[in-house]
Amino acid sequence: MLHLLARPAAMPVPRSAVTIDRIPEVTAPFNGAYRFDGFDPSQGIWLVKNQLFREADTVAIETVIYRNYDRQRALVEFAAGALLVSNEVPIFSLAQIEEEHGDALRIAPHAGTFFLAANLDGVLADPGLRRAIALAIDRIALAEEIWMAAMVPTLSIVPNGVADLGEPATAELGPNDPPTRQIEARSLLAAAGFGPDHPLPLTLAIGAGAVNRASAEAIISDLAEINVMAILKERPVSEHNQRLTGNRDFDLATVAWIGELGHVNEFLTLFEESDLNVTGYDSPAFTSLIVEARMTLDQTVRTALYAAADRQLMRDLPAIPLLHYASLNLVSDRIVGWEDNAVDIHLSRWLSLAPR
């Protein structure tokens, strides 16, 4: 409940301001630490400290300006000291940015997961085939060579640091030794009747984009090593996302899921009997655990129930975990009070500026 109440939809608004325009007047009522003070498409949005805020004397930064820069412009402005915080950090330049800006580059765990959804209405209803695919993919190479270390290799769907869960469950795939894992994967495929003379044909659906395509090509290459012949199906991102929960016309599909609340339920709900189900996974036991966890007021019990559901998910592997997201920010050494967190939210109300 506390996580939900922190979202914008739960923020109190005076009844007189409910129908306010998208861009409000500077005289409109505001009840937060800052109030709106102007907008210009070429300059940005101005916020100034709200003197009527209940703890206005604790708000250190008087004025906050949000500017809409492309990544190259943001880098230039940050280097010049005109921009103090930027989330426009190009992943393919991380090494150079770290060399130039050192500790100003903040890379932190983020509540997001990049995984492969398996369509359980097709050939991948066979859990042995899903395990074979999970064994075949080299996550470390995917993170380092494709994502340039901007992502973290993982064997779990639920990321670290979310509420109501301790250590996330992981897929039990043995030591991180690709050749050994490939041997087991080929054995599982052979048991299902697939091999060099009869490879397993699959379709791999992705949303359009250079990094997505490069990731898919690396995955397809790994799968070819175990006699799985995957055909790439690339579509516009909006269409790809729509088909994930609609007409699942794929065998495997990449899913990029970012949590907004930093809560375990945001990730497990993708696999229960709901409109968000991306795989067709249908486990009454799994769903029962999640429903019971949502109902209990005992946090210890709730955490245990979510953990049990998470462990079952990783045993059944309706989806293949690949990578966890990381937040990327450039933060000036003048910014005081910045704390990395799983949802990458940093309120100006809690920040201050060190003297020049």
Side-chain angles (χ1 to χ4, degrees):
M1 178 61 72
L2 293 177
H3 288 77
L4 292 171
L5 290 177
R7 301 299 300 155
M11 292 181 181
V13 178
R15 184 174 297 278
S16 62
V18 168
T19 59
I20 205 165
D21 292 335
R22 182 179 295 273
I23 300 177
E25 298 293 332
V26 296
T27 55
F30 294 91
N31 56 12
Y34 291 87
R35 63 179 180 82
F36 177 75
D37 195 48
F39 166 73
D40 183 285
S42 63
Q43 298 297 319
I45 298 173
W46 269 258
L47 302 181
V48 296
K49 184 164 79 170
N50 184 1
Q51 297 299 336
L52 298 179
F53 181 55
R54 67 183 184 280
E55 295 179 343
D57 59 337
T58 68
V59 179
I61 298 178
E62 295 283 338
T63 303
V64 181
I65 304 173
Y66 291 92
R67 299 194 190 277
N68 186 22
Y69 289 147
D70 60 41
R71 288 177 178 173
Q72 192 56 44
R73 174 78 184 279
L75 289 174
V76 171
E77 296 292 333
F78 185 85
L83 188 62
L84 299 183
V85 175
S86 174
N87 62 4
E88 288 292 342
V89 182
I91 66 170
F92 294 119
S93 304
L94 286 184
Q96 178 183 347
I97 292 172
E98 186 172 20
E99 182 178 344
E100 293 177 359
H101 298 289
D103 292 341
L105 176 61
R106 306 291 289 260
I107 303 177
H110 190 42
T113 305
F114 183 69
F115 63 89
L116 287 179
N119 182 357
L120 302 195
D121 294 330
V123 66
L124 294 182
D126 183 337
L129 294 180
R130 299 198 300 273
R131 178 174 175 80
I133 290 168
L135 286 161
I137 298 171
D138 188 341
R139 293 158 180 78
I140 293 178
L142 194 62
E144 294 180 354
E145 297 174 14
I146 305 300
W147 289 89
M148 305 300 176
M151 300 275 263
V152 181
T154 186
L155 294 177
S156 65
I157 290 293
V158 181
N160 292 306
V162 297
D164 284 336
L165 187 71
E167 189 74 19
T170 58
E172 297 296 332
L173 302 182
N176 184 44
D177 179 26
T180 301
R181 287 183 177 179
Q182 288 176 3
I183 291 171
E184 182 183 348
R186 293 190 196 99
S187 177
L188 289 167
L189 281 160
F194 299 100
D197 298 327
H198 180 44
L200 171 63
L202 295 177
T203 57
L204 171 58
I206 68 169
V211 181
N212 285 344
R213 191 179 310 114
S215 298
E217 289 170 352
I219 291 168
I220 288 172
S221 177
D222 286 343
L223 295 181
E225 294 293 326
I226 63 165
N227 305 310
V228 174
M229 297 296 108
I231 298 174
L232 185 61
K233 184 182 289 188
E234 184 175 355
R235 293 181 281 225
V237 172
S238 58
E239 181 183 348
H240 174 70
N241 291 339
Q242 183 179 14
R243 288 177 179 269
L244 287 174
T245 56
N247 177 23
R248 290 190 297 272
D249 58 347
F250 56 80
D251 295 305
L252 292 169
T254 56
V255 178
W257 188 256
I258 306 292
E260 293 184 329
L261 307 178
H263 192 276
V264 58
N265 185 71
E266 290 185 284
F267 297 88
L268 297 185
T269 195
L270 295 174
F271 304 97
E272 65 175 319
E273 299 169 8
S274 73
D275 293 338
L276 287 176
N277 194 319
V278 294
T279 64
Y281 182 57
D282 183 8
S283 170
F286 173 82
T287 300
S288 176
L289 287 167
I290 293 179
V291 171
E292 190 177 351
R294 291 193 190 116
M295 296 296 291
T296 182
L297 299 180
D298 187 320
Q299 185 172 16
T300 301
V301 174
R302 182 166 60 249
T303 299
L305 289 167
Y306 275 128
D310 190 29
R311 288 193 299 271
Q312 179 178 331
L313 187 72
M314 289 295 89
R315 286 194 302 268
D316 294 346
L317 278 182
I320 315 300
L322 299 175
L323 305 167
H324 282 159
Y325 281 87
S327 60
L328 304 174
N329 291 285
L330 280 168
V331 183
S332 167
D333 58 7
R334 290 194 62 207
I335 297 291
V336 177
W338 181 281
E339 293 186 7
D340 296 317
N341 60 81
V343 288
D344 197 25
I345 291 177
H346 310 275
L347 300 182
S348 301
R349 184 252 189 282
W350 303 112
L351 302 178
S352 61
L353 293 179
R356 291 183 184 274

